Amino acid sequence: MPAASNTKSDLAPVLTACCLAMLAVGDNSTAIMAALPDMKGSLQLGPAEIEWVVNAYLLTAAIFIVVGGDAADQLGARRSSIAGIALFALASLLIALAPAGLVVVAARALQGLGAAFAVAGTLAAVSEAAPDAKRAEAIGAWTGFLMLGFSIGPLVGGAVTHYAGWRFIFWLNVAAMVPAALMLLRHPGAGGRRAMSMDWVGLGILAIFMVTLISGLQALAHVRTNPLAAIVPLALAGIAFAALIRTETRRTQPLVDFSLFANRSFAIAAGLLFLVMFDIMTLLLYYNLFAQSADGLGMSAIAAGLSLLPLSVALFVFARAAPAIGMRIGARRMLTGGSLLLAVGCAIIWLSFQTNAKFAALMPGLFVAGVGIALIYASAPRLGLATLPQLQAGKGSGMLNSCSFLGGTVGVTFGGIVFALSGLPGVLVLLGISALASAALCLRLRTH
């Protein structure tokens, strides 16, 4: 009984700290998109370097978030959360002071490492601290603050870049992460369930797979002039993935637990998170580059952020409403509908370009796309974790978020190729196809 009482009394400060950290992580993910055109000018970044400013963060997070989930299970969710939050704050400080683009890329990779431990750890910490009756509500709050950060990021990034410069975005990260870490330090929680062991072979193969995959996809832009630059890394990625499956399925405590994908709900949730992050990161990056370019809409950073307000409002409102909507109409219908709304939103934006409509015609499309993204992203983590044993909460959250971050970096990479060939309209077609794939995946969910 005392243990249960302590858990209940710990919920408020732990949930507050974890939600504050997720607000910063979510804001960081989207605010930088509004700042990239300004960063491009001040740091003299080329197109490939702009992609790596985004991908260094996403790719490192995708690789190490599985480690973060494992650390949450083995060392204790709150302790691993503190480590991740501290790394994220340190990396943000380095970016705020960075003198050159190379330093920004390296620090973004460190920031991705911090996010890997913070995201997986805080989700597991919230799940661990909440009593059974309040667990769904607590995870909903965690997801809501992450989505709030996502939603206000474009506006915050645009306003801060316009009035204070892009570096101040990262000072804000430090200001949010420090009190979050201090709150968790006062409530460190239980220790790990067993001695920490690291699957270094699995981690190495996973890193090789993801890095060669993204390198090969980036090289597709020049496949006609240098085909080997794409073929070789993509072949290595295929070999590494086969080796990863062979190695991890034979281990008793694998880093990448492929057995989780035998659970249909978990596998579908992972696929949905991959696709929805593919969509949102690609849309925000290339919309901002288009909106702030002289050949595009010619907006300032703050104007571009304000133009995304319909998307931001939809993300915030419908992320909070998603649990109630799911209870009313069922998860399958809600997720399928969200995927179709995302496709419709992309189609509306695309049509506004094709008909040379006024900028106001973009607003309904951005709102509808935001509704679809919110319904999927707010619900998929709960769908994936709902049927897993509590002891696998950290591992499961790590795997889900790894798929999410990988989807973001694949989207940014593919989007860069399409953006160079056909501009933002081409990117919107790519996102529409991804949304339809998400809808097809949702139809495989069991109706109950």
Side-chain angles (χ1 to χ4, degrees), residues 210-436:
M210 291 193 177
V211 171
T212 53
L213 174 65
I214 298 305
S215 299
L217 292 177
Q218 286 181 325
L220 287 176
H222 311 287
V223 69
R224 290 184 179 179
T225 56
N226 189 8
L228 288 179
I231 293 172
V232 171
L234 288 176
L236 288 173
I239 294 170
F241 187 66
L244 186 67
I245 294 175
R246 181 180 177 85
T247 301
E248 297 302 279
T249 53
R250 295 184 174 188
R251 290 183 62 91
T252 55
Q253 295 180 10
L255 177 68
V256 182
D257 191 351
F258 286 101
S259 68
L260 293 175
F261 291 97
N263 182 312
R264 178 184 290 191
S265 294
F266 182 87
I268 291 174
L272 290 175
L273 285 169
F274 177 95
L275 291 169
V276 75
M277 187 64 87
F278 180 107
D279 294 329
I280 190 170
M281 298 303 288
T282 306
L283 175 62
L284 287 174
L285 173 57
Y286 295 107
Y287 175 86
N288 273 288
L289 290 177
F290 176 80
Q292 296 184 50
S293 70
D295 297 332
L297 300 176
M299 293 180 170
S300 65
I302 190 170
L306 284 169
S307 73
L308 286 166
L309 194 57
L311 177 73
S312 299
V313 170
L315 286 174
F316 177 66
V317 172
F318 283 88
R320 299 299 294 162
I325 295 172
M327 289 291 291
R328 186 176 182 84
I329 66 173
R332 182 184 181 185
R333 288 180 179 177
M334 182 189 65
L335 290 167
T336 304
S339 301
L340 293 176
L341 284 172
L342 176 54
V344 169
C346 291
I348 294 172
I349 301 169
W350 182 85
L351 284 171
S352 71
F353 286 117
Q354 299 307 307
T355 58
N356 293 318
K358 293 183 179 179
F359 174 73
L362 292 172
M363 301 297 98
L366 288 169
F367 181 82
V368 172
V371 173
I373 289 169
L375 292 177
I376 300 168
Y377 200 85
S379 305
R382 284 196 296 272
L383 173 70
L385 293 176
T387 55
L388 293 184
Q390 187 60 31
L391 287 175
Q392 290 183 306
K395 176 76 75 175
S397 66
M399 293 286 286
L400 289 174
N401 283 289
S402 181
C403 292
S404 175
F405 281 114
L406 181 60
T409 193
V410 171
V412 166
T413 303
F414 264 122
I417 297 171
V418 175
F419 188 74
L421 293 173
S422 54
L424 187 61
V427 172
L428 291 167
V429 173
L430 175 67
L431 299 183
I433 294 170
S434 171
L436 292 175

Side-chain angles (χ1 to χ4, degrees), residues 26-284:
D27 177 81
N28 173 81
S29 299
T30 55
I32 192 174
M33 301 303 188
L36 275 173
D38 196 56
M39 293 174 70
K40 177 183 177 182
S42 65
L43 297 173
Q44 313 252 317
L45 302 176
E49 291 170 305
I50 289 175
E51 280 189 34
W52 275 112
V53 168
V54 179
N55 277 343
Y57 171 80
L58 293 173
L59 190 59
T60 308
I63 293 169
F64 284 95
I65 203 163
V66 184
V67 181
D70 217 31
D73 284 337
Q74 297 188 44
L75 298 180
R78 299 180 215 181
R79 287 183 172 88
S80 65
S81 298
I82 292 167
I85 289 169
L87 276 177
F88 193 95
L90 173 62
S92 298
L93 178 63
L94 293 174
I95 297 170
L97 300 173
L102 184 61
V103 177
V104 172
V105 171
R108 284 283 286 170
L110 182 62
Q111 197 177 47
L113 179 61
F117 281 82
V119 172
T122 54
L123 180 54
V126 166
S127 184
E128 175 188 89
D132 291 343
K134 293 186 176 181
R135 185 165 293 119
E137 181 183 348
I139 292 176
W142 180 94
T143 305
F145 272 84
L146 181 60
M147 290 305 300
L148 175 61
F150 263 91
S151 64
I152 66 174
L155 184 57
V156 170
V160 169
T161 300
H162 183 79
Y163 291 112
W166 63 266
R167 295 176 187 274
F168 196 72
I169 292 172
F170 299 95
W171 286 112
L172 290 177
N173 288 342
V174 176
M177 287 300 196
V178 169
L182 291 175
M183 276 188 277
L184 286 175
L185 276 171
R186 292 187 64 186
H187 301 271
R193 299 181 179 89
R194 56 186 183 275
M196 181 67 180
S197 61
M198 175 53 63
D199 178 9
W200 293 107
V201 174
L203 178 61
I205 297 174
L206 178 66
I208 292 170
F209 162 64
M210 291 193 177
V211 171
T212 53
L213 174 65
I214 298 305
S215 299
L217 292 177
Q218 286 181 325
L220 287 176
H222 311 287
V223 69
R224 290 184 179 179
T225 56
N226 189 8
L228 288 179
I231 293 172
V232 171
L234 288 176
L236 288 173
I239 294 170
F241 187 66
L244 186 67
I245 294 175
R246 181 180 177 85
T247 301
E248 297 302 279
T249 53
R250 295 184 174 188
R251 290 183 62 91
T252 55
Q253 295 180 10
L255 177 68
V256 182
D257 191 351
F258 286 101
S259 68
L260 293 175
F261 291 97
N263 182 312
R264 178 184 290 191
S265 294
F266 182 87
I268 291 174
L272 290 175
L273 285 169
F274 177 95
L275 291 169
V276 75
M277 187 64 87
F278 180 107
D279 294 329
I280 190 170
M281 298 303 288
T282 306
L283 175 62
L284 287 174

